[in-house]
Amino acid sequence: MTSSDAERRHTPAGNVESRVARVPVETETSATVAVVRAVAEAEDASPGDLPLLSDVIDPEAFDDLFDDDRVGRSGVSLSFDYCGYVVTVTDDAVTLDAR
């Protein structure tokens, strides 16, 4: 991964924040696909080489949370642990923070 692929920020006290990457979610991409792609990119791996996301979350329910056709879904945010990251998904981005 290049420095343009990931964000690393420093706090004023000099501590490194845990932010690894923030990847925009394309409107036609499901939330599960967006997460797997973001983690695969961060790990410099093929999506098929990652553990099954379904071992961590229910993919169908997860995708339903971010379905464009749902009324009143704006502001939805969900975080969970996956592959050594705290993954946070919002309507517009997948953010990976190191644990």
Side-chain angles (χ1 to χ4, degrees), residues 68-85:
D68 284 338
D69 295 333
R70 282 192 82 150
V71 175
R73 70 170 185 78
S74 112
V76 172
S77 176
L78 181 71
S79 296
F80 56 92
D81 291 339
Y82 179 60
C83 292
Y85 299 99

Side-chain angles (χ1 to χ4, degrees), residues 17-99:
E17 289 187 20
S18 62
R19 173 84 19 98
V20 174
R22 185 173 190 276
V23 180
V25 175
E26 298 171 13
T27 55
E28 65 278 351
T29 302
S30 71
T32 54
V33 169
V35 166
V36 171
R37 285 180 181 167
V39 173
E41 184 176 318
E43 291 291 303
D44 196 25
S46 167
D49 293 337
L50 299 177
L52 294 175
L53 188 58
S54 61
D55 289 345
V56 178
I57 60 166
D58 177 338
E60 192 172 313
F62 180 57
D63 284 338
D64 283 349
L65 284 173
F66 296 96
D67 183 0
D68 284 338
D69 295 333
R70 282 192 82 150
V71 175
R73 70 170 185 78
S74 112
V76 172
S77 176
L78 181 71
S79 296
F80 56 92
D81 291 339
Y82 179 60
C83 292
Y85 299 99
V86 175
V87 178
T88 302
V89 182
T90 61
D91 290 341
D92 64 347
V94 173
T95 303
L96 305 177
D97 292 299
R99 280 194 276 167

